[in-house]
Amino acid sequence: MKTVIVGPGAMGSLFAYYLISSGEEVWLIDYRLARVEKIKKEGIKIEGVSGEHHIKPRITADPKEAGKVELIIICVKAYDTEAAIKRVTPLIGETTTVLSVQNGKGNLEIIAEVVEKERVVGGTTAQGATVLGEGHIRHAGLGETIIGCPTEASSKRLEAVAALFNRSGVKTSTTDDLKGLIWSKLLINVGINALTALTRLKNGQLLDYPGTRKLMAEAVGEGVKVVEAKGVHLSYPDVVDKVESVARATAANISSMLQDVLKKKHTEVDYINGAIVSEGQKLGIETPVNQSLTYLVKTLEASYDKQIHLFQGIAGSSKE
Ligand code: PAF
């Protein structure tokens, strides 16, 4: 299946590795010219749980170079989804499917504003990956990918994507409750991502401190109230318990939001804790913990160049 992957970050590079290794034609699309040139020359190195690999993918900054494709996988941050899908519309032919397993709420809706809903397949992945540098990633954890489709009309596309992933080594199953799947995964991110970004702890370490453990339970509890009020069926009977077990299973992971903060980048907090706040507002449900986490992460993002570091703080402090 000729595939375009938009975004050669951690997940995009990991999917590219699996698909290319199983003989699929894959193009990576990147808007950053310098990174395109680097990856063209040096390829992508993958290390970690799946071993050490090196791939030389086709990569371009000009989507038209790839021609029409059968599958487009959007692997950018949630705040870039709209720009990413708009850039690749020239690649959409009659049979093209668009897949998103991105973190955060709203990606599928954004994609479905640009392409017909029938083309869209969405889901979640528990594969863990971290960028170590441009064209260099660590495959941090193996996990299931689950996909579903927003309309019955895309069920053939869904089966085709699941078959492609499974034969390429990405263990994938399908669900007929896509909404439940996405909101359930979102609550895992609600419980882990902002707290790790603010404390700079690894996922598992959030469970070692009463304060972070309590905030995790409260943020997730607010999320559960909102999601249940929307009439969405959650995949786990005890969501807090599930979030704790994911934190344990991914104990050594640096969450995607902490990775962003460490690189002084924009985070997805608006699409995670912020999504609970905005949905809560529509339903008249208070979400003070998610609101505070969102404000704090956004303050952190806005003040990267103003934050005080130890030596600077001592040198600049008054003696009074
Ligand atoms: O965003 C992430 O880092 C991941 O979705 C998760 C599940 C929190 C594990 O690190």
Side-chain angles (χ1 to χ4, degrees):
M1 205 179 209
K2 186 176 170 189
T3 301
V4 146
I5 299 175
V6 191
M11 213 48 78
S13 299
L14 187 65
F15 286 144
Y17 153 68
Y18 275 114
L19 295 177
I20 290 170
S21 310
S22 69
E24 300 294 334
E25 179 178 348
V26 176
W27 281 85
L28 279 164
I29 309 276
D30 190 6
Y31 70 98
R32 280 169 52 191
L33 268 175
R35 186 164 56 181
V36 168
E37 289 313 318
K38 186 171 187 325
I39 293 179
K40 237 185 219 170
K41 219 163 105 200
E42 296 169 18
I44 297 178
K45 274 192 272 173
I46 296 110
E47 59 183 62
V49 289
S50 52
E52 283 195 21
H53 315 278
H54 182 236
I55 52 166
K56 277 269 193 165
R58 297 175 176 89
I59 181 163
T60 178
D62 175 12
K64 287 194 206 97
E65 212 186 314
K68 300 277 184 238
V69 295
E70 286 159 278
L71 178 63
I72 294 173
I73 311 179
I74 304 289
C75 287
V76 297
K77 295 286 182 182
Y79 47 79
D80 280 333
T81 299
E82 188 181 346
I85 185 66
K86 284 186 173 159
R87 283 190 78 210
V88 292
T89 48
L91 311 187
I92 296 177
E94 236 163 77
T95 58
T96 313
T97 299
V98 181
L99 171 71
S100 156
V101 290
Q102 299 157 274
N103 271 347
K105 171 76 191 68
N107 292 300
L108 299 182
E109 291 80 352
I110 293 169
I111 294 170
E113 273 171 24
V114 180
V115 304
E116 303 94 313
K117 206 175 183 181
E118 292 67 38
R119 294 184 182 279
V120 180
V121 171
T124 62
T125 184
Q127 294 276 1
T130 314
V131 174
L132 297 177
E134 281 182 350
H136 188 190
I137 64 154
R138 181 186 303 120
H139 189 186
L142 288 159
E144 204 182 15
T145 299
I146 310 177
I147 55 175
C149 46
T151 87
E152 269 293 302
S154 11
S155 57
K156 277 216 178 91
R157 294 167 185 269
L158 176 69
E159 294 308 329
V161 174
L164 168 74
F165 270 29
N166 280 315
R167 70 173 179 268
S168 306
V170 183
K171 191 172 165 235
T172 302
S173 62
T174 62
T175 176
D176 38 18
D177 181 13
L178 180 58
K179 238 188 200 158
L181 172 75
I182 291 192
W183 278 103
S184 303
K185 169 74 192 296
L186 186 88
L187 292 187
I188 292 173
N189 295 120
V190 161
I192 296 178
N193 293 34
L195 283 171
T196 51
L198 291 165
T199 58
R200 300 187 173 223
L201 292 173
K202 290 188 176 171
N203 295 358
Q205 292 171 315
L206 291 179
L207 304 176
D208 296 341
Y209 302 93
T212 41
R213 209 167 176 153
K214 192 154 193 313
L215 283 171
M216 176 190 274
E218 287 177 5
V220 173
E222 290 175 4
V224 170
K225 274 195 208 147
V226 168
V227 178
E228 284 180 349
K230 288 176 70 63
V232 173
H233 172 78
L234 286 165
S235 315
Y236 328 107
D238 183 338
V239 186
V240 174
D241 193 61
K242 176 68 188 179
V243 178
E244 289 187 358
S245 80
V246 172
R248 243 174 257 119
T250 61
N253 277 25
I254 298 173
S255 81
S256 53
M257 200 177 289
L258 176 52
Q259 290 180 46
D260 289 337
V261 166
L262 294 173
K263 291 181 210 140
K264 300 190 173 182
K265 280 174 58 181
H266 190 173
T267 76
E268 295 181 306
V269 74
D270 280 335
Y271 300 82
I272 299 177
N273 305 83
I276 298 299
V277 176
S278 56
E279 291 295 319
Q281 274 161 358
K282 288 184 208 154
L283 294 158
I285 298 172
E286 304 253 304
T287 54
V289 175
N290 282 286
Q291 180 67 86
S292 304
L293 292 174
T294 306
Y295 283 149
L296 284 168
V297 173
K298 290 186 77 69
T299 304
L300 197 59
E301 278 179 32
S303 61
Y304 286 136
D305 57 345
K306 299 192 184 80
Q307 287 154 24
I308 293 171
H309 298 283
L310 184 60
F311 295 113
Q312 184 192 337
I314 290 170
S317 66
S318 136
K319 289 205 175 104
E320 278 164 32

